[in-house]
Amino acid sequence: MSVGIGRERQFEVYVGGARGVHPTVPVSFERLERAARKAMTPEGFAYVAGGAGTEETMRGNRAAFDRWRIVPRVLHDVSTRDTAVEVLGTSMPSPFVLCPIGVLEMAHREADVAVARAAAAEGIPFVFSNQASRPMEETARAMGDAPRWFQLYWSTSNDLVASLVSRAESCGCSGIVLTLDTTMLGWRIRDLDLAYLPFLRGKGIAQYTSDPVFVEALQETLRQEAPPGGRITLAAIGTLLSQAGSYPGSRLANVRSGLARAAVRRFVETYSRPSLSWDDLAFLRERTRLPILLKGVLHSADASAAVEHGMDGLVVSNHGGRQVDGAIATLDALPAIVDAVGGRIPVVLDSGIRSGADVFRALALGASAVGLGRPYVWGLAAGGEAGVREVIRNLRADFDLTMGLSGVARVRDIGRDNVTPA
Ligand SMILES: Cc1cc2nc3c(=O)[nH]c(=O)nc-3n(C[C@H](O)[C@H](O)[C@H](O)COP(=O)(O)O)c2cc1C
């Protein structure tokens, strides 16, 4: 009989320790973040760690979890526990997915591929980012049959949107997560102070440079490409080389052809469509039979509208506090949204998930599953694929033990009754 992932992981760590082997990455979130910081450039760390404005939303996400307390029950048989859930046909051994996170090359050179391998090894779905560092085909190949979804940003080109969605289908993605909270980048002070945006260095645009529609359109940009203006500085040369190094093919050929620089320019012109509105969803609905989840929903009226527009799921998210400073915490937004959808579609929550107790509280307030964000990026930076795998295993273990010790044997038995306002 299996003792469950919680006890298994504890034994793994303690028995390892008795033999002098320590985990690859720290278990504590704070120490993990510190280890990641040491492994990253200041710009890379700032990009991942930072939020919008004064970062009040980031702090608020955490504070909201503090306002709910688990009320454990005793004398329930919890010798075997079932932590698995299914969301929109995708099975998960523990109730969480890995959030879509762009520009993972800033954390580790193996970027999305390392995360994909770790996720696949644990059976945890990985949501491929539209701003990934590796083309989705390459990431999908690293996963075998393991579950994956694709996160879409709606660009100014509907042809590109359709192309990305059809590639995601071919890559075996079983869901499309349409992110709606980033029609423009939030006011991110850490990045502004460093005057650093990875995309301008050619980072995080691999889904575009591997896309036939985008590459075709690039020829037009190339024809219009103006010669570089201004003084030639060392920094400008560095940027050019970085762009050329990120574009497929040889760096030298990319500098000569001007393709890499044109790709960045084209990306800037194409990225995001602030005019997007509810009527546009029909275009996407017609192009895919995959379930569509809207990510970034925080208002109950938008949740109801999503159901009316035939959407299949929601991700209650404030993008980890990176978009609107002073925004509602996701855990605070959750109950009204769950009420509004009334069980018609599943609700996933992210932003601030750091522990098994956080997962448990989100589920108690009505989430079907949650999304894990920054912690796995820190695992990637500090320990590559093995680091991500440990972060996933630790959260799976922590959740399993939290659930069992709260007197609940199955995820579906977690309910509002298991928590109380602090
Ligand atoms: C560095 C970074 C990059 C991100 N890139 C994307 C992205 O490309 N697409 C997207 O939908 N969300 C993106 N997000 C938001 C995450 O999917 C998720 O909502 C957020 O990380 C949750 O907050 P947490 O990490 O604080 O838990 C990004 C978040 C971070 C930290």
Side-chain angles (χ1 to χ4, degrees):
M1 191 179 73
S2 158
V3 295
I5 176 79
R7 297 176 73 192
E8 221 176 80
R9 177 67 185 146
Q10 283 174 325
F11 293 149
E12 204 172 274
V13 173
Y14 293 139
V15 171
R19 294 194 186 122
V21 181
H22 283 263
T24 310
V25 296
V27 176
S28 120
F29 175 77
E30 288 73 25
R31 279 194 289 277
L32 179 64
E33 181 174 318
R34 280 204 294 277
R37 183 175 203 154
K38 277 195 202 141
M40 295 173 77
T41 63
E43 289 83 4
F45 179 80
Y47 184 74
V48 178
T54 61
E55 301 186 342
E56 197 182 314
T57 305
M58 277 172 62
R59 290 188 295 278
N61 284 335
R62 291 298 313 147
F65 283 98
D66 281 350
R67 288 194 296 273
W68 285 95
R69 295 299 153 97
I70 298 167
V71 189
R73 301 293 305 273
V74 296
L75 294 172
H76 286 261
D77 177 0
V78 291
S79 53
T80 55
R81 298 164 304 281
D82 184 3
T83 57
V85 297
E86 192 183 296
V87 178
L88 296 169
T90 299
S91 302
M92 317 174 182
S94 300
F96 66 94
V97 303
L98 299 190
C99 292
I101 302 244
V103 211
L104 288 173
E105 68 205 271
M106 294 200 305
H108 193 273
R109 64 191 143 67
E110 287 173 7
D112 308 84
V113 172
V115 175
R117 288 199 197 106
E122 289 296 320
I124 292 294
F126 179 24
V127 188
F128 300 168
S129 165
N130 203 139
Q131 300 310 127
S133 295
R134 298 289 183 89
M136 62 181 105
E137 289 78 7
E138 193 183 333
T139 310
R141 268 198 304 279
M143 295 191 80
D145 294 333
R148 69 211 66 157
W149 292 346
F150 175 68
Q151 175 264 319
L152 176 73
Y153 279 132
W154 203 306
S155 64
T156 52
S157 158
N158 272 359
D159 290 343
L160 178 60
V161 168
S163 175
L164 287 166
V165 169
S166 101
R167 286 171 62 198
E169 287 179 343
S170 306
C171 284
C173 295
S174 55
I176 301 288
V177 176
L178 173 61
T179 300
L180 298 171
D181 57 17
T182 311
T183 52
M184 295 171 275
L185 280 187
W187 183 251
R188 299 182 187 164
I189 289 178
R190 296 197 210 200
D191 299 336
L192 290 163
D193 270 339
L194 291 167
Y196 185 86
L197 186 65
F199 312 113
L200 298 191
R201 317 279 166 128
K203 298 184 197 297
I205 60 171
Q207 308 294 23
Y208 300 79
T209 55
S210 58
D211 190 278
V213 170
F214 184 85
V215 170
E216 161 109 41
L218 213 49
Q219 296 307 321
E220 191 192 314
T221 307
L222 208 53
R223 279 195 295 277
Q224 303 162 349
E225 183 83 328
R231 250 171 0 107
I232 297 175
T233 59
L234 263 182
I237 293 169
T239 298
L240 190 67
L241 288 176
S242 168
Q243 291 170 347
S246 294
Y247 197 82
S250 101
R251 190 186 293 254
L252 187 63
N254 291 334
V255 172
R256 283 212 184 109
S257 70
L259 268 176
R261 203 159 65 92
V264 169
R265 211 178 98 186
R266 183 96 201 168
F267 162 73
V268 171
E269 288 164 7
T270 312
Y271 173 77
S272 95
R273 190 190 297 196
S275 67
L276 204 65
S277 62
W278 287 99
D279 293 340
D280 292 310
L281 294 178
F283 175 86
L284 188 60
R285 183 71 291 170
E286 281 160 21
R287 259 148 205 84
T288 184
R289 295 167 76 158
L290 293 180
I292 304 171
L293 298 94
L294 299 187
K295 178 170 184 271
V297 171
L298 292 166
H299 197 295
S300 60
D302 287 343
S304 304
V307 178
E308 281 151 28
H309 284 78
M311 298 294 106
D312 304 286
L314 297 176
V315 183
V316 174
S317 170
N318 55 33
H319 216 100
R322 297 162 72 77
Q323 288 299 96
V324 176
D325 199 19
I328 186 170
T330 53
L331 200 71
D332 288 336
L334 182 66
I337 288 177
V338 167
D339 281 352
V341 304
R344 288 173 292 174
I345 57 174
V347 178
V348 177
L349 173 140
D350 75 26
S351 301
I353 296 287
R354 301 291 178 263
S355 70
D358 297 340
V359 181
F360 187 93
R361 284 178 280 194
L363 265 54
L365 293 177
S368 299
V370 301
L372 181 68
R374 289 182 177 93
Y376 85 77
V377 187
W378 300 146
L380 177 66
E385 177 188 337
V388 179
R389 178 128 188 229
E390 282 189 6
V391 169
I392 295 172
R393 280 182 80 68
N394 290 344
L395 184 64
R396 291 190 61 201
D398 184 4
F399 173 72
D400 175 40
L401 294 171
T402 301
M403 185 176 85
L405 292 169
S406 302
V408 184
R410 295 174 308 190
V411 167
R412 66 170 173 280
D413 295 334
I414 300 174
R416 186 62 183 71
D417 209 37
N418 296 111
V419 291
T420 188

